């Protein structure tokens, strides 16, 4: 979170200051990418770039707090993900490797193995949820959005979001136990 400097950063970004765009991007891009990756986006890094192109193009129309900005960014991310899924049904692509198994830069082999196992387990657990439960839980946990913000992002009522969250957490608890 940017904190009390948010308004200054937002105003600078609206004025076209490169440092402000960078600050907004570095603050939210990792969690947006994580959300998209866990939602099964084909190219989460590319999709994150698309999200931020949309965010930066629409900055002049945004009004609100940092929390509302975060919600707005995740709403854009969610919509871009839905667009990607629609495109994929029209033009199926070749399956890609599971991101949990992709090689990264060298380092501590034991730590990398444990990280990969943990990431694989997260993917496996997420895969057991319905699409709706997964998107609600990821927006709540990864996106750190309120129930009301998630409801706006996914176009559902607050009650529906609470029910999906409760069912998703119950399903995960059963799988983990």
């Amino acid at each position: 979170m940017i904190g009390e400097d948010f308004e200054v950063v937002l105003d600078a970004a609206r004025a076209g200051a490169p440092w402000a765009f960078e600050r907004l991007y570095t603050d939210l891009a990792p969690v947006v990418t994580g959300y998209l990756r866990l939602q099964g986006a084909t190219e989460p890094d590319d999709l994150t770039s698309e999200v931020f192109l949309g965010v930066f193009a629409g900055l002049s129309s945004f009004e609100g707090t940092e929390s509302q900005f975060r919600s707005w960014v995740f709403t854009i991310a969610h919509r871009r993900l839905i667009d990607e899924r629609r495109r994929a049904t029209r033009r199926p692509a070749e399956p890609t490797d599971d991101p949990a198994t992709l090689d990264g830069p060298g380092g501590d082999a034991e730590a990398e193995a444990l990280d990969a196992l943990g990431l694989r387990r997260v993917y496996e657990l997420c895969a057991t949820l319905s699409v709706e439960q997964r998107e609600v839980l990821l927006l709540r946990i990864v996106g750190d959005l309120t129930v009301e913000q998630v409801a706006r992002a996914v176009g559902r009522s607050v009650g529906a979001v609470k029910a999906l969250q409760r069912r998703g957490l119950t399903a995960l608890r059963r799988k983990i136990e």
Side-chain angles (χ1 to χ4, degrees), residues 6-7 10-11 14 24 55 57-73 76:
F6 176 73
E7 284 297 322
L10 184 62
D11 289 340
R14 286 182 181 137
L24 292 171
V55 167
L59 273 181
S60 62
S61 66
F62 175 77
E63 291 293 328
T65 65
E66 184 173 11
S67 174
Q68 290 167 326
F69 181 75
R70 185 180 189 94
S71 175
W72 182 63
V73 170
I76 293 170

Side-chain angles (χ1 to χ4, degrees), residues 158-174:
V158 169
V161 168
K162 287 179 180 179
L164 285 166
Q165 177 179 320
R166 186 174 49 257
R167 286 188 211 118
L169 290 172
T170 300
L172 287 176
R173 190 174 297 114
R174 273 191 238 121

Side-chain angles (χ1 to χ4, degrees), residues 142-164:
V142 177
D144 196 28
L145 302 184
T146 66
V147 171
E148 293 78 13
Q149 290 169 328
V150 172
R152 281 192 300 277
V154 298
R156 294 184 179 271
S157 70
V158 169
V161 168
K162 287 179 180 179
L164 285 166

Side-chain angles (χ1 to χ4, degrees), residues 26-41:
T26 56
D27 181 56
L28 284 173
V31 290
V32 169
T33 303
Y35 165 74
L36 295 170
R37 182 168 283 123
L38 288 170
Q39 281 284 47

Side-chain angles (χ1 to χ4, degrees), residues 15-171:
W19 68 266
F21 288 124
E22 181 180 354
R23 180 91 186 267
L24 292 171
Y25 183 84
T26 56
D27 181 56
L28 284 173
V31 290
V32 169
T33 303
Y35 165 74
L36 295 170
R37 182 168 283 123
L38 288 170
Q39 281 284 47
T42 307
E43 296 289 338
D45 294 324
D46 292 347
L47 199 53
T48 299
S49 295
E50 284 184 39
V51 167
F52 279 90
L53 286 173
V55 167
F56 295 150
L59 273 181
S60 62
S61 66
F62 175 77
E63 291 293 328
T65 65
E66 184 173 11
S67 174
Q68 290 167 326
F69 181 75
R70 185 180 189 94
S71 175
W72 182 63
V73 170
F74 273 94
T75 299
I76 293 170
H78 179 72
R79 290 180 181 157
R80 292 289 194 275
L81 181 65
I82 290 170
D83 291 344
E84 178 188 85
R85 288 177 178 159
R86 286 182 185 142
R87 279 191 305 271
T89 59
R90 282 181 254 144
R91 281 184 263 150
E94 292 295 316
T96 59
D97 290 334
D98 178 355
T101 64
L102 297 178
D103 291 331
D108 182 352
E110 182 180 358
E112 288 177 16
L114 290 173
D115 287 346
L117 288 173
L119 186 56
R120 180 178 306 285
R121 182 70 175 140
V122 169
Y123 276 99
E124 289 170 357
L125 288 170
C126 285
T128 66
L129 300 171
S130 73
V131 171
E132 294 83 8
Q133 290 170 345
R134 185 172 53 241
E135 65 190 17
V136 165
L137 287 177
L138 291 176
L139 286 169
R140 290 279 290 135
I141 297 166
V142 177
D144 196 28
L145 302 184
T146 66
V147 171
E148 293 78 13
Q149 290 169 328
V150 172
R152 281 192 300 277
V154 298
R156 294 184 179 271
S157 70
V158 169
V161 168
K162 287 179 180 179
L164 285 166
Q165 177 179 320
R166 186 174 49 257
R167 286 188 211 118
L169 290 172
T170 300

